[in-house]
Structure formats: C-alpha cells, structure tokens
C-alpha cells in the first residue's frame, strides 16, 4: 500500500537542510538551510561566486552534495531524483541545446525524453515564451535572448509544479524582461512555485514574495521580502546644516549610522524613535523640514548584508 | 523516466541529424573508394612501374582480397568511429546538452547504454558497408584487370563464413576503440581531448608495441600489456595466412581484450553516473 502523500500546500516546494558542497579545500555551499513555500515566487540572491549555481545544481541532482540534503516537495534530490524531476522544470544559466537542430526540433526531442508525445504541448510552450515565429531556425543562429526563451520553453513543457530558473531574463531587452516577468507571475498565480536566481535586484524586488541571500556559500538572510526590506528601514531627514546635524545624531544612543545622501540625511535608527531625534535637533537649533520613514531598497539591503559578511570575514 | 528504447531512438535522431556523422561517412566512403579506384586504374593500365602486377592482383582479387578489404575498412573505420564515439559523449559536455537531457528525466545509466549502443550499431554498419564495398571493389578491379576469378571460384559458403568472421573480429576491434574514446570523453569532459588521446593511443600505440615486441622476449611480454597488442593479435586472424595460435595465445588475447573492455566500461559508467554535471559542463 502506498503511503499517503502530503498535500502540496503543506510541504515546502524546496527545503534545504544543511546543504554543503566542497571543492577540495574550498567550501562553495556551507550548511545552507531555508525553505521555499509552495506557490511563492522566491528570489535567490548572492554576489558572483556566492554558490547560487552550485546550490541549483544540487537541487536538480546534477551536483552531488557533500553533506545535508535538498528536498523538493519532500523528495530528496540525491536519492529520489525521478520523483524530484517529475515535478520540476529548470532553466540553467546558458541554456544548452543541440546547435544543429531547430528550436522546435530540440523541444520535440526533449519532450520525447520526458515522455511527452503531444505536439500541442510544444506549440503552447513556444507560444508562452514568444518563440513561435523563430522556432524553425537552428539553435546555432539564435541570439542570447532567443536561447533564453527556448530554455524557458523547455522548462515549461513538462508543466512542472516548481520552476527553478537561473538568470531567466539574461540577454533579454527590457520589453522581453517584462514579458517573462509577466509569464512568471501568471505561472505563480496558477499555484505553481517559481524559484528564481537573478542578479537584477530591482527585478527580484518587483517579482518575488520571498528571498534568500547567500554570500560565500552561507545564508545571510531569508524570508518574506517585506520583512527583509523592513529590517533595512531608515529615517529620511531634511535639515539645515546637514553635516553638523549628522555629527549630533551620531552621538545619540538610538542612532546606529548616519549617511548624507542628496543633501538629506539617511539615519539608521528605529522609526519609533523619530520624535526623539526631531526633539534633539530642534533643541540644538536645527530647522527640520522633513522627517519620514523610508522603506528599504533590496539593493541596499543586499549590499549591506553581503558587505557586512565580507568585512566580518576579512577581520 | 524515459526507457532505454526511447533514449535509443532519441540518440539515433541526434546522430542522423548531426552534420558530422554525414561528413565522416563521406570521408570513409571517399577513402575506401579512392583506394580501390587507384587499384582499378593501375590494373586497367599497362605495366606498372616498379611493381609486379600479379602481386597487386593477389592482394585485391577475391577470395584472398577479402582480408585486404576488411583490413582497410577496419583501419579507416576505427578512426571514423573513434571520432564519432568521442563526439557522441564529448559534444554533450562541450555544448552543455547533457544537463538538458538529464533535466528531462533521462536516467544516467540508461543514457550511457543508449549512447554506446548507437555507437556499437554504427561500428557494425561501418564494417558491413566497408566489407561489402571492398568485395564490390575487388569484383570491379577483377573486371578492369582483364578478368579476375569467376564468381563460382570464390563465392562459396567458406567465403561467406570467412567474411562474417572477419567482420565480427573487426567489429570487436572497433568497439574497444570506441569504448576507449567514449571513456576518455567522459573522464575529460572534452571532445577534442578524447579524439586526440584515443587516436594517439591507436596510432602511436601500434608503433610502440611493435618496437617493444621486436626487443626480445621481455619486450614481447611487455607489449601484451597494451590494448593495441591484443586487438592486433585478434585482427591478425583476419588473413589468408593467419598465424597459428595455441591455447595460451588465445588466453592472453582474451584476457587483454576483456580486461581493457571491463576497465574502460567500468570507469566510464561509474564516472558518468556520479559526476558533477554542472562542473563538467561549466566551459560549455
């Protein structure tokens, strides 16, 4: 008798438990632990060489882990790969196809490997990524953007519950990027999970509901995007004599940091202490013309988190 | 998960659609065709300077010409198949398509079996076409040379039996070189390196083992450690004046061929099953 399968919504789409990969002395992925909720669009961020592609390789059974596990819908990638791939579609960096075959024939060949014999599935995938008109040209003659679209089409032909995408909009023009982003939103709206690695932080901020940030193979932040941005919230302050005001603020116990930006002060302090800061400035004779909380930018949080890790390591 | 049969069909499509396959087939046919055409022209012309025409007839005309024809087909066919076998595996790493295939739920062991089976089938086709072509070439040469032996003189059941045996031995030889090429491609993840190393082992190895064998008893035994010696000893039987082997000869030849086949098959399959595909295709 088969064991009852847990509902998709109860099981995380992806769950990493101490996932580790070493290349001789170098630890590319270091005890990575986080989970991706089903139905989310999850951003996976990190500087170049942070271990993103190695992590994706381990998720897809292409790279054997040295320790820990990567579970997809509860199935271990290292031990239950067929069950993992049955529900997963993936686009890797630099999509790879047979250069002497057309886009359509490449897809047909891959569909046959995946056990799909319905030509309509291929046509639908080509249509979804906007490649129908050039589907009969050989892959060799494709631009980077067209290769990317074909890679996405290949990931979609199995109609997977989870899409793992490594730099999906790489090589696409802004209009193409927006098209693909809209397609990913559509896929997520249909209840499927999208796990996307991208270096385009504004794209991730627009698209994703959750993010994980890694640096030097280690997790530095993970969770709902709103929470990660909130942790980077700042107070924005417009005041006369900003240099002198910054010096005063730096002496206050609630203030962690003050940066002068475009004639305004960006103050790293809890937003509930805004009144205290205002009072201190006014009492010292400064004229405060603006004081409001400013939502953190993902790029700023990303740089702060990865820079912090780098400097801590260097110390 | 795709069955081995499905993967076989996919591999055949890939091979037939690949321009390199047809270029190599053309080169193979052209080399064999040009060689026989040269012999036919020589036999049809008058005297051949510095050459005994009868020696040439003995070499080409059937039934003895069968050994020469199969030997030609084996030599050229081995090089062609080494390139094809290296290409079948090495190109997948160079292009990165091995990742794409595996992501489409292709099981690694089944994929290896399908790929190598297609290479083996192609090896068989190479030898069958080469043997048939050399028989045709010999018949045409006979006609051009003023009448070779009549069909009834050579087209006997013994001739057919010989032709099948010669082809089988040649196929075993091709299969081992193809396995070596495929293994090197898997171990190095490179088409170019695989072709280079395997062709060097095939060509330079023959010279090296001949030199060793000529250096006395110890050298002869040492030469038996190389696959070239085992393969060449097997192919030596493809001759009208084949050497007479005793049981111990058959034993070392069988041991040599079995050890190398098992070694390379195990190396290739184990590596293919466990390798880090992301790292292996990172240059692609």
């Amino acid at each position: 008798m088969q064991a009852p399968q847990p509902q998709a919504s109860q099981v995380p789409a992806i769950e990493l438990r101490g996932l580790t990969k070493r290349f001789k002395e170098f630890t590319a992925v270091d005890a990575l632990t986080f989970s991706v909720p089903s139905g989310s669009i999850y951003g996976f961020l990190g500087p170049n060489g942070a271990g993103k592609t190695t992590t994706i390789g381990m998720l897809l059974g292409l790279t054997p882990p040295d320790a820990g596990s990567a579970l997809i819908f509860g199935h271990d990638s290292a031990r239950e790969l067929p069950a993992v791939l049955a529900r997963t579609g993936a686009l890797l960096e630099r999509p790879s196809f047979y250069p002497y075959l057309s886009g359509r024939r490449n897809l047909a060949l891959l569909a046959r490997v995946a056990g799909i014999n319905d030509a309509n599935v291929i046509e639908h995938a080509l249509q979804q990524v906007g490649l129908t008109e050039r589907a009969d040209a050989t892959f060799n003659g494709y631009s980077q953007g067209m290769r990317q679209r074909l890679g996405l089409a290949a990931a979609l032909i199995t109609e997977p519950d989870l899409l793992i995408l490594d730099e999906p909009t790489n090589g696409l023009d802004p209009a193409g990027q927006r098209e693909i982003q809209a397609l990913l939103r559509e896929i997520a709206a249909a209840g499927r999970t999208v796990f996307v690695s991208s270096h385009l932080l504004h794209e991730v901020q627009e698209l994703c509901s959750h993010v994980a940030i890694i640096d030097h193979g280690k997790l530095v932040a993970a969770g709902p995007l709103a929470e990660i941005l909130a942790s980077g919230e700042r107070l924005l302050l417009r005041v006369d004599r900003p240099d002198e005001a910054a010096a005063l603020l730096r002496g206050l116990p609630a203030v962690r940091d003050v940066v002068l930006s475009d004639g305004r002060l960006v103050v790293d302090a809890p937003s509930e202490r805004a009144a205290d800061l205002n009072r201190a400035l006014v009492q010292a004779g400064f004229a405060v013309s603006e004081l409001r909380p400013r939502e953190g930018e993902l790029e700023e949080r990303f740089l702060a988190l990865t820079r912090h890790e780098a400097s801590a390591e260097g110390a | 998960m795709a069955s081995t049969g499905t993967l076989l069909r996919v591999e055949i499509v890939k091979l037939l659609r690949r321009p390199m396959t047809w270029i190599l087939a053309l080169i193979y046919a052209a080399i064999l065709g040009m060689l026989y055409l040269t012999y036919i022209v020589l036999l049809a012309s008058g005297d051949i300077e510095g050459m005994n025409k009868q020696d040439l007839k003995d070499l080409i005309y059937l039934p003895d010409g069968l050994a020469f024809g199969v030997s030609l087909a084996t030599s050229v066919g081995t090089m062609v198949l080494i390139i094809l076998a290296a290409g079948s595996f090495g190109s997948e790493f160079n292009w990165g398509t091995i990742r794409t295939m595996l992501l489409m739920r292709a099981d690694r062991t089944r994929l290896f079996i399908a790929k190598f089976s297609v290479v083996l089938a192609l090896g068989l086709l190479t030898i069958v076409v080469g043997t048939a072509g050399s028989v045709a070439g010999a018949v045409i040469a006979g006609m051009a040379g003023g009448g070779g032996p009549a069909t009834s003189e050579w087209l006997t059941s013994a001739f057919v039996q010989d032709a099948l045996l010669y082809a089988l031995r040649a196929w075993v030889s091709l299969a081992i070189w193809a396995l070596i090429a495929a293994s090197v491609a898997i171990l190095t993840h490179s088409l170019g390196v695989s072709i280079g190393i395997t062709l060097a082992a095939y060509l330079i190895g023959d010279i090296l083992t001949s030199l060793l064998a000529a250096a006395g008893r110890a050298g002869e035994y040492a030469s038996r450690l190389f696959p070239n010696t085992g393969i060449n000893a097997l192919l030596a039987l493809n001759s009208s004046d084949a050497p007479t082997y005793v049981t111990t000869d058959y034993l070392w030849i069988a041991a040599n061929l079995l050890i190398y086949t098992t070694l390379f098959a195990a190396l290739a399959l184990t590596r293919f099953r466990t390798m880090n595909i992301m790292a292996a295709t990172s240059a692609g």
Side-chain angles (χ1 to χ4, degrees), chain A residues 128-129 152 156 178-188:
Chain A
Q128 272 185 302
V129 300
L152 195 54
L156 290 169
R178 267 194 285 278
E179 256 178 67
I180 298 301
Q181 286 168 13
L183 175 63
L184 297 183
R185 280 196 193 94
E186 206 177 291
I187 288 166

Side-chain angles (χ1 to χ4, degrees), chain B residues 31-43:
Chain B
I31 291 176
L32 292 186
M34 293 295 277
L35 279 171
Y36 271 97
L37 190 65
T38 308
Y39 299 136
I40 290 165
V41 169
L42 285 173
L43 286 168

Side-chain angles (χ1 to χ4, degrees), chain A residues 226-248:
Chain A
E227 278 179 23
I228 286 175
L229 293 180
S231 66
E233 195 178 73
R234 299 285 187 273
L235 290 168
L236 203 63
L237 219 148
R238 192 184 294 273
V239 64
D240 62 333
R241 295 174 286 133
D243 290 327
E244 289 172 43
L248 173 81

Side-chain angles (χ1 to χ4, degrees), chain A residues 112-137:
Chain A
R112 198 188 286 187
V113 174
I116 298 162
N117 297 310
D118 185 357
N120 291 329
V121 173
I122 294 161
E123 293 311 315
H124 180 59
L126 285 168
Q127 196 185 357
Q128 272 185 302
V129 300
L131 201 61
T132 308
E133 280 180 23
R134 295 298 311 277
D136 290 317

Side-chain angles (χ1 to χ4, degrees), chain A residues 3 10 28 31 96 130 148 159 190 196 251 302:
Chain A
Q10 295 171 338
S96 307
Q148 210 68 19
E159 300 188 339
V196 55
F302 175 82

Side-chain angles (χ1 to χ4, degrees), chain B residues 2 5 13 17 20 29 47 76 87 99 113 122 142 154 162-163 170 193 195 201 231 252 265 280:
Chain B
V13 170
R17 295 252 167 203
M20 188 173 94
D47 290 334
V76 183
R99 298 187 313 196
I113 291 169
L122 211 65
W154 58 268
D162 277 351
V193 174
I195 293 174
I231 293 169
W252 79 254

